Amino acid sequence: MTKDGKFEAIGVVGCGLMGSGIAQACATAGYPTQVAEVSEERLKPGLESIRKSLEKFQSKGQISGEQAAAIQGRLRPTTRLEDLAGCDLVIEAIVENLAAKRELFARLDGRLRPEAVFASNTSSLPITEIMTATRRPERFVGLHFFNPVALMPLVEVVRTVATDAGVYEQVVAFAASLGKTPVRTGDRSGFIVNRLLIPYLLDAVRALEEGAGSMEDIDRAMKLGCGYPMGPFTLLDFVGLDTTYYAAEIMYNEFRERRFAPPPLLKRMVLAGWHGRKAGRGFYDYRQPGPPRPVALG
Ligand code: 3HC
């Protein structure tokens, strides 16, 4: 950490869809970035997606070959949490499971300096409940990125009742240093974006079930009528039906309001393994080449 409180070395735990994007954003902003995963097999696809993303930016002339190489050079992949010992800020982006996150942070707590700051990229779990696995509640925040991280300019910075005001400002400044726009929010399930986005996505499923229109027409309507970049079913497939379902369940448990309750159709699709684009099938079928086709929902 510099004398004026700027983070110098970053650690990212989890190199999946979000973790790899976050690590890429940190390395692109010039930070030496340790990227930790449980195994080499789990590291490989994440690092590959970073390479592909940088290649796209390079092919569009947005970065040079030297810059892409320098970004990759700042990434330090590891399968040992000990290698994060020197980090000033660790951002966790592992599976959306409270027990797993608490266990990870408890292990990190014993390995990192007491001044180091911890952040979770959870989309809906209470930051406070993750934080209590550590002995540094005042140095614990939420740092919620959006998919695809390389393109989405927003970061929600989440404070708990225990977060130190100075630490919070340090993290807000860090988010801005990534070239992102930070927004400040409190520790309420879903923060700002998912609190508004999840009920909208669930409502689209209800609208479909109630016969308001076909899947394609609902998508078309929201895209062309509201200027959204993706219609709700395309976005559900993009975010993941499983991710949306789990976030909705957590928010429903927090607020006990019907608008957060996942509709039965969404639950059935998750149970069937139709998790969206990553599974090859969700509301649309991506398994054949060419434009995705709407699936027939029995
Ligand atoms: N790195 C580099 N380039 C990338 C990329 C990445 N990771 N992902 C996509 N691109 C490129 C594409 O290759 C494409 O390049 P091309 O123009 O040369 O073909 C370019 O970006 C534009 O992509 P698309 O052609 O696919 O089309 P769009 O213009 O629709 O842009 C989008 C893509 C930015 C994803 C846009 O559709 C969008 O903003 N969608 C909404 C996304 C959204 O709402 N995300 C938030 C989800 S909620 C969330 O994450 C929270 C969680 O808690 C649930």
Side-chain angles (χ1 to χ4, degrees):
M1 203 153 344
T2 62
K3 282 200 192 91
D4 53 354
K6 289 199 184 99
F7 302 125
E8 287 183 297
I10 311 298
V12 177
V13 186
C15 194
L17 190 68
M18 296 305 287
S20 61
I22 296 168
Q24 180 183 338
C26 295
T28 301
Y31 294 101
T33 306
Q34 297 277 350
V35 199
E37 253 298 355
V38 288
S39 64
E40 295 289 343
E41 298 80 69
R42 295 283 284 270
L43 267 173
K44 227 172 160 187
L47 296 173
E48 181 58 16
S49 71
I50 297 176
R51 195 191 57 73
K52 279 195 187 143
S53 172
L54 293 174
E55 213 172 73
K56 271 185 202 164
F57 289 131
Q58 202 184 323
S59 71
K60 289 179 190 166
Q62 290 167 341
I63 56 170
S64 66
E66 291 75 49
Q67 282 169 315
I71 294 167
Q72 302 231 53
R74 284 192 282 271
L75 292 168
R76 320 258 159 86
T78 178
T79 54
R80 293 160 24 102
L81 282 187
E82 288 72 23
D83 291 340
L84 274 64
C87 293
D88 301 318
L89 170 70
V90 174
I91 307 168
E92 165 274 317
I94 66 166
V95 60
E96 196 70 342
N97 175 291
L98 181 62
K101 287 185 194 287
R102 283 181 55 87
E103 195 204 324
L104 170 70
F105 276 114
R107 289 173 64 202
L108 287 170
D109 203 31
R111 288 172 169 79
L112 272 91
R113 288 176 282 112
E115 309 83 72
V117 174
F118 288 174
S120 174
N121 178 57
T122 181
S123 57
S124 46
L125 290 166
I127 300 295
T128 309
E129 213 171 341
I130 308 172
M131 165 202 100
T132 54
T134 74
R135 286 160 297 170
R136 59 185 83 204
E138 65 292 340
R139 309 185 75 73
F140 203 110
V141 294
L143 207 46
H144 185 218
F145 291 80
F146 294 83
N147 179 26
V149 180
L151 303 183
M152 300 303 279
L154 184 72
V155 180
E156 292 179 316
V157 188
V158 189
R159 62 181 172 273
T160 74
V161 288
T163 309
D164 175 87
V167 168
Y168 188 64
E169 291 313 317
Q170 248 177 299
V171 179
V172 170
F174 166 75
S177 78
L178 299 181
K180 306 281 183 201
T181 300
V183 289
R184 294 154 198 266
T185 179
D187 185 23
R188 295 289 176 274
S189 194
F191 316 127
I192 299 172
V193 171
N194 280 340
R195 187 184 183 124
L196 300 177
L197 177 66
I198 300 285
Y200 156 71
L201 295 176
L202 302 179
D203 247 352
V205 180
R206 291 187 192 108
L208 178 69
E209 284 190 292
E210 289 162 17
S214 70
M215 202 187 296
E216 285 165 298
D217 274 347
I218 295 174
D219 263 359
R220 219 171 263 140
M222 296 313 291
K223 228 180 131 172
L224 302 181
C226 293
Y228 289 7
M230 290 173 168
F233 295 106
T234 307
L235 186 54
L236 272 157
D237 281 355
F238 183 72
V239 170
L241 274 62
D242 52 339
T243 306
T244 308
Y245 174 76
Y246 294 127
E249 281 279 40
I250 292 166
M251 292 168 78
Y252 182 69
N253 282 332
E254 170 118 329
F255 299 112
R256 312 284 164 131
E257 290 177 27
R258 184 183 176 271
R259 65 198 168 109
F260 298 110
L265 173 61
L266 181 66
K267 182 173 176 179
R268 297 303 180 278
M269 292 177 73
V270 172
L271 288 172
W274 297 15
H275 292 176
R277 222 186 256 202
K278 62 189 170 192
R281 181 165 43 170
F283 285 97
Y284 293 90
D285 196 330
Y286 302 86
R287 291 171 300 171
Q288 311 293 335
R293 278 170 300 191
V295 297
L297 295 167

